[in-house]
Each structure stands twice: as C-alpha cells, then as structure tokens.
Amino acid sequence: MALSRASEDGRPPPSLPEIVYPLPNAPEPEVVRHALNAVNNLVVITDPRLPDNPIVWVNDYFFTFTGYRREEVIGRNCRFLQRNDRDQAARHVLRDGIEGGQHVNVVLRNYKKDGTLFYNDLYVSPVYDETGALIHFIGVQNDATTLEEALQTIRERDQQLYDLTESERERFAMELHEGLGQVLTGAALSASAHLRELERDAPAHVASAQIMRDLIQRAVSEARQIAQGLSPVLDQEDGLRHALDDLSTSMNEASEEAQVTAVLAEVPTLDPRAARHLYRIAQEAVANALKHADAEHIVIRLRDEPSGAVVLEIEDDGVGIPASVVSADQTLSTGRRVAAEAQLAQHGRGLYSMRFRADQIGATLTVEHRDEGGTRVRCHVAPLS
C-alpha cells in the first residue's frame, strides 16, 4: 500500500516533489502489520473502490475488544458496529467526510458483539496512491466510554443544579410577588387613603405624603418587575407567548437603536420547564443581537407545525455570528462535545448557554447566517408524547 502526502482537501498537492516508492529504509509490510497488531487501538482499513466501502483488514485488538471474529467483520461496512442506533448526527459528518475523501474525526455510539455500548472516538484518513487515486481509508478507533460517561454524569449534575436553581427562583419570585408585593400594595392603598385625609384636614402635609405614597407605589412596581424577571413564564395556558410579548416590549423600551418585533402564534401547551428554557433562549438571542451584532431589527417568532412541534425563531439583521463561534458549534455535530463545549464557553458564551438549555429539553437548536444578512436562531421542540 503506497501512501502520499495529501493537502487539506485530501488530494496530493502538485507542488510537492515526486516521492519515489518504495521509500528508502521503509519498514517491510510484515513489520507494519505487526506494529498495527501491537497497539491497543482498533485499526480498520476499508476499500472505497469496492461496493459499500467494505472492511478489508483489521488489527488483532479489534477482535479482542469487540468480540467479533474475522469472518464476521471482513467484507462488511463499518456501520454494522452502530447496530440500530442510527440517529447520530456524527454519522452524517462521517459520511460527508468519506464521500469527500477527507480526514474526519467523530465520536460514535458503537456496540460490541455482546451488545455492550462503547463510545468510539474515530479518526478516519484517506489513503492515496502515487497517482493521486483514493485507494483506502484507514480508521483508528479509541474507546472513549469512560470519558463520555463522566461527561454524562457532569451533564446530569448540571441539570440537577439547574432544576434546583429554577425551583429557588420560582419560590423567591412567588414570595416576592405574593408576600412582599402584597404588603407593599396594602401600604400603598393605606398611603393613598391617608393622603386624601390630609388633603381635607392638613393641606400643608400633602406634599410629603404624596412623596411617601409615590415611593411605595414605585417599590410595588419594582417588586413585580423583579418577580417577573425571576419567573417570567407563568404556569398557565399561553404563558410562553405572553412572556415573549413582554420580552419584546421591555427590549424596545430599553433600546433606542433596535426595534424588536414579536410574531407569536398560539401553540400547543408546553411543559412548564420547556417553556421556561425557550424563553431564556429567546432572551439570550435577543440580548446577543443587541449587544454584539449591531442589529436594527430583531424578530421573535413562535409557531407550531402540523406534527405538534413548537418552533421558536429569533432573526436579526446584524453583522452575523463570528466564524469561530459557528465552527465551535458545528463541532458538536461530530460528537466531540469536550472540545466543542470548551470552544463555545470561551468564544460564544451566549450560544453555549442556548445550546445547554436546548439539550436539557431535548430540543434541536440551529444557528445560521441568513442569506439576507444577520443571524437566525431556531429551536425545535418535539410534541409532547
């Protein structure tokens, strides 16, 4: 098997000097085979010139790790390791890389012969001969199960912490609204009654009484605003729609540069937790458009689909999302969550937060450049079962 240097698009660059095969002092094929059999990684070689790009060689550790026998592997496409677990975004990334003759790195859920799940950190590289023809793919597979299970534990703890935080926010908002808010409302009513008495009996004290009443009424208003900010989505029908409408109004009042428009249809009743996450996603997306995109127009859309799914979209006409953030976000589709989430946390905290919230409710979040300029954030929530 002859290897040649490849450019970023997987093809030998014409500017490289000619490489003469066999290379001087190159190891014999038997030495290479023994070396590949000695490593504790699963090594697979496929032949894209044959129908369905079948496996033509695997190292000994592949059999030791997966439990399959050689005759059960050779001649099959590698997808058999996925069994029926085909709903994996990384599969599409892998397919596109192979079809384009590209290097690709993804993490897949694979299964041993006995059905045991393992996470496969897979590196695939194309192999070209000296004429530039694609002759093989070589895949090096690493068992990333321990790491993925640790990450899953962290995500579950993050979810527990979030649920606890939201519960405390709601409790505090309720106490603020029903407790302190009611006390202040009573004090405001009492002050108004006292003011009327002073207007009749002691006009000289009216001005100071008016100041006291106005301060109490202002405290009532601020207490309600704080309570609404802590728990903006009420547990009632159309709670999300009303909250998004309030968000649009408050953003317009706070910004002089941009106009925020809400186009909100009636949608099927959502789980309260899902509704709260969607609101926070919208809030984050609008804030990002105002702070970082120099947007002049922002549209919040809420609609449903015939299937019963709910779709939230936030569009702006700003400068667009930075390429570094898009790249980090796209890395998530390869299954490499560690690298992707670290990049998002560093370069795109807002997007990191939105994607975290979407993950918590099993929603699909996409962030893309609009053809007419600006950014579109779209969150798709499947219907309740």
Side-chain angles (χ1 to χ4, degrees):
M1 178 190 312
L3 306 181
S4 65
R5 304 234 348 235
S7 62
E8 290 184 355
D9 64 359
R11 296 291 179 179
S15 59
L16 288 177
E18 181 180 357
I19 302 176
V20 179
Y21 294 90
L23 297 174
N25 301 318
E28 295 295 326
E30 188 68 14
V31 175
V32 175
R33 184 175 67 82
H34 282 300
L36 292 177
N37 279 325
V39 299
N40 287 333
N41 302 94
L42 289 70
V43 181
V44 177
I45 297 177
T46 68
D47 191 339
R49 298 167 297 181
L50 298 176
D52 205 26
N53 189 23
I55 299 170
V56 294
W57 188 88
V58 294
N59 68 341
D60 291 344
Y61 186 71
F62 183 98
F63 306 118
T64 301
F65 182 82
T66 66
Y68 284 100
R69 300 189 305 274
R70 185 177 301 277
E71 60 269 23
E72 297 173 308
V73 174
I74 300 299
R76 302 178 69 180
N77 185 281
C78 293
R79 74 173 70 91
F80 82 91
L81 290 171
Q82 300 161 17
R83 296 201 172 187
N84 294 324
D85 188 3
R86 300 300 177 85
D87 187 18
Q88 304 184 48
R91 288 185 63 245
H92 304 294
V93 177
L94 176 61
R95 179 199 60 202
D96 292 344
I98 290 176
E99 290 180 353
Q102 304 290 315
H103 298 268
V104 63
N105 176 208
V106 297
V107 175
L108 294 166
R109 293 187 300 274
N110 282 174
Y111 297 85
K112 301 180 183 180
K113 184 177 180 179
D114 63 5
T116 302
L117 167 69
F118 71 96
Y119 286 88
N120 180 3
D121 189 0
L122 171 64
Y123 292 78
V124 175
S125 298
V127 179
Y128 295 91
D129 67 12
E130 57 270 24
T131 69
L134 177 63
I135 57 173
H136 292 100
F137 283 100
I138 182 167
V140 179
Q141 308 177 16
N142 304 294
D143 179 18
T145 306
T146 301
L147 175 59
E148 287 296 326
E149 289 177 345
L151 290 173
Q152 181 61 34
T153 298
I154 293 173
R155 286 192 283 270
E156 290 174 355
R157 291 178 179 174
D158 284 346
Q159 176 57 51
Q160 293 171 358
L161 178 60
Y162 173 81
D163 288 342
L164 178 61
T165 301
E166 285 296 304
S167 176
E168 285 301 299
R169 287 165 67 103
E170 290 181 11
R171 183 186 65 81
F172 185 67
M174 182 68 70
E175 291 182 357
L176 188 61
H177 184 271
E178 301 296 335
L180 179 60
Q182 295 298 334
V183 171
L184 290 173
T185 298
L189 291 173
S190 178
S192 295
H194 184 55
L195 178 60
R196 288 192 294 272
E197 293 176 358
L198 291 177
E199 289 173 344
R200 184 184 66 243
D201 301 329
H205 299 287
V206 167
S208 59
Q210 284 178 331
I211 293 174
M212 183 179 297
R213 181 202 59 185
D214 292 346
L215 287 174
I216 296 174
Q217 289 179 338
R218 179 179 175 183
V220 171
S221 177
E222 291 189 0
R224 288 175 177 170
Q225 289 179 5
I226 294 172
Q228 184 178 12
L230 290 170
S231 184
V233 182
L234 299 178
D235 292 340
Q236 63 182 33
E237 188 175 355
D238 265 1
L240 175 60
R241 193 159 64 99
H242 291 307
L244 292 175
D245 190 51
D246 290 342
L247 174 64
S248 173
T249 300
S250 63
M251 288 297 185
N252 282 324
E253 292 174 350
S255 174
E256 297 180 355
E257 292 79 17
Q259 176 68 36
V260 181
T261 303
V263 182
L264 310 171
E266 293 186 9
V267 298
T269 301
L270 286 166
D271 174 83
R273 182 166 165 269
R276 289 193 293 269
H277 276 298
L278 284 178
Y279 174 84
R280 296 299 182 189
I281 289 172
Q283 187 181 43
E284 185 68 48
V286 172
N288 285 345
L290 290 173
K291 293 179 182 177
H292 307 300
D294 294 328
E296 295 183 357
H297 298 92
I298 303 168
V299 181
I300 305 171
R301 289 191 175 91
L302 183 67
R303 58 181 175 83
D304 63 345
E305 295 182 336
S307 64
V310 173
V311 178
L312 171 71
E313 290 182 338
I314 301 91
E315 296 182 339
D316 69 70
D317 61 355
V319 298
I321 189 168
S324 60
V325 177
V326 173
S327 174
D329 187 54
Q330 290 175 343
T331 305
L332 283 168
S333 64
T334 69
R336 299 192 58 77
R337 298 190 65 94
V338 179
E341 290 179 353
Q343 283 182 285
L344 283 179
Q346 180 178 0
H347 300 294
R349 174 63 65 177
L351 181 53
Y352 176 83
S353 173
M354 288 188 286
R355 190 163 290 286
F356 171 81
R357 291 183 179 280
D359 286 346
Q360 297 307 307
I361 56 176
T364 301
L365 182 79
T366 57
V367 181
E368 58 189 5
H369 293 284
R370 299 170 65 223
D371 293 339
E372 55 271 52
T375 302
R376 177 184 296 109
V377 176
R378 184 176 186 271
C379 193
H380 181 279
V381 184
L384 292 173
S385 57

